[in-house]
Amino acid sequence: MTIELVSTSKANAPVVVHPLVERLCAITGAPLLTAADYDAWASQPGRALVVFTEDPVQFRETLDVAVIVPELAQAFAGAFRVGVLLQAAGRTVSTRYGFRRWPALVMLADGQYVGAIDGLRDWQEYIDDIGRLLQAPPTRAPSVGIAVTSTDAGGHCH
């Protein structure tokens, strides 16, 4: 099975999907999401685990997470649906969630942010964190720490 997304970047070159990411999608039924269709998918009712991938050459942990996520889906059978964002779409959508390391998993509840697991973790940490996120209520996503300045000479916020 070969999955390709058509990139809207340079010359509409096809985006090549690594076989382990294809396997993740096949096992979990996860769609490969674009930035354009992300909101419609994310806003569906129930819990959702969003997998933010990156270039597996630069971020080797991406392939580890591609193997781990199907195991998590099996360990928590039926507790959440899975969606995958490839590099370009992931970079676009990630600004909403404030995580700092790639790859990352973001848990949503009815389209609202619940929490994130970024970088690679030990198996028991994934189990504990997913269990906690499945019970947690939605919350405000953390800030990415971008400074906000005013063009007003008075410097007051109202």
Side-chain angles (χ1 to χ4, degrees):
M1 172 174 87
T2 301
I3 299 174
E4 284 190 6
L5 288 180
V6 177
S7 170
T8 57
S9 63
K10 300 176 184 172
N12 290 329
V15 175
V16 177
V17 179
H18 192 280
L20 289 176
V21 176
E22 287 182 355
R23 177 184 172 273
L24 158 64
C25 293
I27 290 172
T28 63
L32 287 175
L33 301 166
T34 65
D37 61 11
Y38 176 76
D39 287 331
W41 180 87
S43 66
Q44 295 174 23
R47 297 281 169 153
L49 186 68
V50 185
V51 181
F52 287 79
T53 67
E54 245 306 338
D55 176 8
V57 173
Q58 186 178 1
F59 294 87
R60 293 185 183 146
E61 295 88 356
T62 291
L63 299 182
D64 294 325
V65 168
V67 173
I68 291 167
V69 169
E71 297 297 322
L72 289 171
Q74 182 179 9
F76 293 96
F80 55 84
R81 60 194 163 85
V82 178
V84 177
L85 288 163
L86 296 178
Q87 295 92 316
R91 283 186 217 117
T92 299
V93 175
S94 70
T95 59
R96 302 178 188 186
Y97 300 121
F99 58 83
R100 297 172 189 237
R101 295 184 304 164
W102 295 85
L105 306 176
V106 170
M107 182 69 72
L108 304 174
D110 302 325
Q112 297 180 9
Y113 178 85
V114 174
I117 304 169
D118 59 355
L120 194 60
R121 308 288 175 96
D122 291 329
W123 175 251
Q124 192 57 50
E125 289 179 80
Y126 279 116
I127 294 295
D128 294 345
D129 288 346
I130 294 292
R132 179 183 50 78
L133 292 173
L134 286 171
Q135 299 303 314
T139 186
R140 184 178 169 274
S143 168
V144 293
I146 298 171
V148 178
T149 58
S150 172
T151 58
D152 177 19
H156 300 320
C157 291
H158 295 287

